[in-house]
Amino acid sequence: MATYRSNFADLLEPGFRTIFDDAFSELPMVMEKIFKVNSSEKQDEKDSGVTGFGYLDETSEGGAIQYEDPVQMYDVTYVHKKYTKGFKVSEELVEDDQYNVIRRKPAQLGRAARRTAENSAAGSLNNAFSTSYQGGDEKPLCSTIHPRSDGGSSQSNASSTGITLTDDNLETARIAFRKQLDDKGMKIDVMARQILVPVDLEKTAVTLTGSEKRAGTADNDLNFYKGMLDVISWQYLSSTTAWFLLDPQQHQLNWFWRVRPEFKQDNAFDTGMALFKTRTRYSNGWSDWRGVWGSKGDGSAYSS
């Protein structure tokens, strides 16, 4: 497709007071508050892990040491994908545009690139309960049956009943979060520090975590959660009910920039068309589920 003067007659007439041109305020970038942002210089990035050890064995005097093997954990490959967008306009339209609308279009490719990155990053959370989007352990990001590399009992980082966001349910989630174990079944220092919600739950999340006193009760109890959780409201979350707890120090939600958005312009010699394009390459996902806990928030049973 190409843009000609015949498609934008209004831009050629000086009589208009103004012409709106994608004038809405842009959403701030949230992705970088959630994901660990990395740079890559390869066609893909691969993550893996190795377990530690369990408890020491009580050994009698002169008794033989019991040896234990570490276990190879699950592999994850981040394959960088390419995203592009461009537009072309006649040189006559560029020359005759009375409102400089066309001259501002290249900058708006940058806005499109940022929106695309936000939408891609949100996909990891929007599909956190979908079996079509699996991690290295062949389970969704939020699963009730994450297998252990050593063959031990499976673990859960999701609500099996889709609990809604309330004071009592937030405590249920916090405790479940603290009880996440490593792949040897050992206790780890993991603690929820962020609560990620759609805009539909922003008021609820702020009320639960920001009030001086416990929210929604007539008691005079102190609010245990005040100052504990940073509320992140993300308009790119597609569910109106799902909510997540995150530990940014421990989780392995990763974003890899292979090529940050770049912009180029050229002119076709034979037609005089002005050509503009942007291009970027990146990948995102998770290397391990720990440090994340989620609920679909719809009150329905969930087991995946």
Side-chain angles (χ1 to χ4, degrees), residues 271-293:
T271 64
M273 298 296 291
L275 310 175
F276 304 88
K277 75 172 184 178
T278 183
R279 170 182 173 272
T280 184
R281 292 176 64 198
Y282 57 77
S283 61
N284 66 287
W286 67 95
S287 298
D288 192 76
W289 57 268
R290 274 158 282 244
V292 178
W293 184 95

Side-chain angles (χ1 to χ4, degrees), residues 33-34 36 177 191-194 246-251 291:
K33 295 181 181 179
I34 300 171
K36 294 179 178 177
F177 197 102
M191 181 178 296
R193 292 176 170 85
Q194 297 173 329
L246 306 173
D247 183 348
Q249 298 180 16
Q250 297 290 338
H251 75 58

Side-chain angles (χ1 to χ4, degrees), residues 77 82 109 114 121 133 135 137 156 169 200 223 235 256 287:
T77 301
K82 180 174 73 172
L109 286 175
R114 289 188 292 274
Y133 295 83
D137 62 358
S156 172
N169 289 342
D200 311 77
N223 183 3
Q235 287 182 250
F256 290 94
S287 298

Side-chain angles (χ1 to χ4, degrees), residues 11-169:
L11 300 184
L12 310 179
E13 299 296 332
F16 290 92
R17 182 183 67 87
T18 187
I19 292 181
F20 295 103
D21 176 38
D22 197 11
F24 303 105
S25 298
E26 186 176 6
L27 292 171
M29 292 284 286
V30 174
M31 176 266 288
E32 294 180 349
K33 295 181 181 179
I34 300 171
F35 284 75
K36 294 179 178 177
V37 179
N38 310 276
S39 296
S40 175
E41 296 183 355
K42 302 181 295 183
Q43 67 175 359
D44 57 41
E45 294 289 340
K46 295 181 180 180
D47 281 4
S48 186
V50 178
T51 65
F53 301 98
Y55 296 117
L56 301 185
D57 301 300
E58 182 178 347
T59 308
S60 61
E61 182 177 359
I65 292 176
Q66 300 296 314
Y67 290 91
E68 178 182 336
D69 295 327
V71 178
Q72 174 74 54
M73 294 175 64
Y74 304 102
D75 297 344
V76 176
T77 301
Y78 297 82
V79 179
H80 309 313
K81 296 181 180 179
K82 180 174 73 172
Y83 299 85
T84 61
K85 182 73 73 177
F87 72 98
K88 54 184 177 180
V89 298
S90 69
E91 56 188 349
E92 289 83 5
L93 178 55
V94 175
E95 293 168 350
D96 295 345
D97 176 10
Q98 299 296 301
Y99 302 91
N100 291 323
V101 169
I102 299 302
R103 290 181 177 85
R104 292 194 294 268
K105 287 302 173 188
Q108 290 169 2
L109 286 175
R111 174 176 290 200
R114 289 188 292 274
R115 287 171 171 166
T116 303
E118 285 281 283
N119 189 61
S120 295
S124 291
L125 284 308
N126 290 332
N127 296 296
F129 306 94
S130 173
T131 55
S132 297
Y133 295 83
Q134 299 179 340
D137 62 358
E138 299 184 346
K139 299 298 177 185
L141 173 61
C142 294
S143 171
T144 58
I145 48 174
H146 285 293
R148 271 173 39 187
S149 301
D150 69 348
S153 300
S154 62
Q155 296 192 65
S156 172
N157 71 329
S159 170
S160 62
T161 56
I163 57 176
T164 57
L165 181 56
T166 66
D167 183 88
D168 288 340
N169 289 342

